[in-house]
Amino acid sequence: MPTTGTVHTLSALLAGGDVAGQRVFIRADLNVPRDAAGEITDDTRIRASLPAIEACLQAGAAVMVTSHLGRPVEGEPDPRHSLAPVRRRLSALLRREVPLLSSWVDGGFQVPPGQVVLLENCRVNKGEKGNCDELAQKMARLCDIYVNDAFGTAHRAEATTHGIARYAPIACAGPLLAAEIEALGRALGQPARPLAAIVGGAKVSTKLTILKSLAGKVDQLIVGGGIANTFMLASGLKIGKSLAEAALVEEARAIIDMMAARGASVAIPVDVVCARECSATAGAAVKRAEDVADDDMILDLGPRTAAQLAGQIKTAGTIVWNGPVGVFEFDQFGNGTRVLAEAIAASPAFSIAGGGDTLAAIARYGIAGQLGYISTGGGAFLEFLEGGKLPAVDVLAQRAAA
């Protein structure tokens, strides 16, 4: 069976005609945002899940789809976490009625070939989050083919993301998961050089592991937000009353030294955008990095720094982007993120971007169509950047190697 990297794929099964008449269990990521009334406010994840579902239906498979939604208490069905809104939207998008089944783990239902059902919120099942072996085996007996198409949950070892893949007759990656594996491998596995990484955000502590992991791989490390402030402190610069983590200055200095020892570099701002407060009406002032006053708050990279970093990006062969470099929600502090975003978009390098704030910046500056790959994985994307293992991917790789 052909593979993507080290895992079997649904695409290969479909190409081989191995899906017709089979019971296919798809673990999708349909965890969509909803308003106070429970109505879906963004159906992007549902739309992204359609190709796998439609391909299996067209191939004549009996299709079962499940997902988590919110944070229900295991064993306690709750209408607030029901997939009912998802069922309605999925039915509309597929242009067919999609039944929603509750209490489905023990079977007792039939899905005709060419039809699809939605299985109620998988996290309501006792043992789901704990990756219960008995639960996983029960779910595996429901299907002939297990498809994981939920990269956003790949960093969790749960019954529907990991356990079932151990016992299903066939276990493979859906198109979304396969694309993520390929893109991440291309970006960090065997990247075209130079490899540049942009890491923004408020705190070094939340991304310290990522920074350390990338420091051993990248040729250029660009930091922004509160993270850049901490690195400025580590470089002997004053940052006024800016957000920073003084306790992690030595960690930041160690990362600078680690990069330097490899002939690589961490970009330290030469100018910054300051204000007295962080608000939509705050007045912005551009200052040289060494001129930051005691009552200044650094809220963005300065124009000279942004231009220099854009120049670095132009020379990159691969670009990894996680996090804005300023408080881009306010226009007067968004120039740095906008300049870097546009530089990434204009670069011929392979670029991969991920993380909630990053996706918001991509949308704000309208560059989605100009990036190599946009990861919707959130926690899984960060886990990969940290160099950690993704249990849901590992188990598929183990099945492919068996």
Side-chain angles (χ1 to χ4, degrees):
M1 188 186 299
T3 65
T4 287
T6 56
V7 304
H8 297 318
T9 68
L10 175 62
S11 298
L13 286 175
L14 290 165
D18 300 327
V19 178
Q22 300 297 296
R23 298 171 301 157
V24 178
F25 185 111
I26 300 176
R27 174 49 160 105
D29 183 2
L30 308 176
N31 187 32
V32 291
R34 294 160 294 154
D35 60 22
E39 295 301 314
I40 295 169
T41 57
D42 182 354
D43 65 0
T44 300
R45 286 177 173 170
I46 301 176
R47 291 179 180 274
S49 298
L50 293 179
I53 298 169
E54 291 176 327
C56 289
L57 289 173
Q58 291 170 8
V63 184
M64 297 162 276
V65 183
T66 195
S67 172
H68 70 288
L69 181 65
R71 299 176 181 275
V73 176
E74 287 188 2
E76 298 181 17
D78 186 335
R80 294 174 300 176
H81 300 296
S82 172
L83 290 178
V86 174
R87 184 207 70 79
R88 291 192 293 271
R89 188 63 58 89
L90 186 60
S91 295
L93 292 170
L94 289 174
R95 297 182 180 179
R96 64 165 73 200
E97 190 66 18
V98 179
L100 176 63
L101 306 184
S102 58
S103 303
W104 49 269
V105 169
D106 291 316
F109 61 91
Q110 296 293 323
V111 184
Q115 299 298 314
V116 56
V117 298
L118 185 61
L119 307 178
E120 188 59 279
N121 196 329
C122 58
R123 284 195 183 157
V124 172
N125 299 321
K126 285 188 175 180
E128 166 66 14
K129 293 181 71 174
N131 198 18
C132 171
D133 204 56
E134 181 182 358
L135 175 62
Q137 291 187 53
K138 282 185 176 182
M139 293 190 296
R141 287 194 287 269
L142 298 175
C143 67
D144 303 301
I145 300 170
Y146 165 73
V147 180
N148 190 331
D149 209 26
F151 179 76
T153 64
H155 59 306
R156 298 189 176 102
E158 299 181 346
T160 57
T161 65
H162 183 273
I164 185 175
R166 295 173 57 206
Y167 298 109
I170 296 173
C172 64
L176 285 176
L177 183 63
E180 292 272 1
I181 295 169
E182 183 178 351
L184 290 167
R186 182 177 174 185
L188 292 177
Q190 295 180 316
R193 298 281 180 174
L195 169 58
I198 302 166
V199 181
K203 296 182 177 181
V204 172
S205 57
T206 59
K207 295 186 178 178
L208 180 61
T209 309
I210 293 173
L211 291 166
K212 285 182 175 179
S213 176
L214 291 176
K217 299 182 178 76
V218 304
D219 304 298
Q220 301 160 349
L221 180 59
I222 296 169
V223 291
I227 293 173
N229 298 339
T230 304
F231 275 84
M232 289 176 68
L233 280 177
S235 300
L237 293 165
K238 295 181 179 180
I239 62 168
K241 59 179 183 179
S242 307
L243 176 66
E245 293 175 284
L248 292 177
V249 166
E250 289 304 316
E251 296 278 10
R253 190 172 290 123
I255 289 172
I256 293 172
D257 293 342
M258 187 189 311
M259 294 280 289
R262 296 176 43 244
S265 63
V266 179
I268 305 300
V270 296
D271 64 341
V272 292
V273 180
C274 298
R276 295 291 188 265
E277 62 178 17
C278 181
S279 73
T281 57
V286 176
K287 295 190 175 185
R288 296 188 308 167
E290 58 266 34
D291 294 337
V292 175
D294 291 343
D295 59 349
D296 278 331
M297 294 179 68
I298 300 172
L299 299 174
D300 193 15
L301 302 177
R304 282 180 55 211
T305 300
Q308 289 178 7
L309 297 179
Q312 288 186 23
I313 288 169
K314 287 180 181 178
T315 68
T318 305
I319 304 164
V320 178
W321 179 21
N322 174 243
V325 295
V327 186
F328 74 100
E329 296 87 350
F330 302 144
D331 289 343
Q332 67 270 43
F333 308 122
N335 183 68
T337 300
R338 179 186 59 78
V339 169
L340 295 192
E342 291 175 351
I344 296 168
S347 172
F350 175 70
S351 55
I352 181 168
D357 289 339
T358 313
L359 299 185
I362 290 169
R364 187 179 183 92
Y365 302 119
I367 61 167
Q370 297 163 273
L371 300 181
Y373 192 82
I374 299 174
S375 173
T376 57
F381 179 75
L382 296 179
E383 186 74 23
F384 190 93
L385 294 187
E386 289 177 4
K389 289 188 176 183
L390 302 179
V393 176
D394 284 350
V395 69
L396 294 180
Q398 292 165 14
R399 289 295 305 270

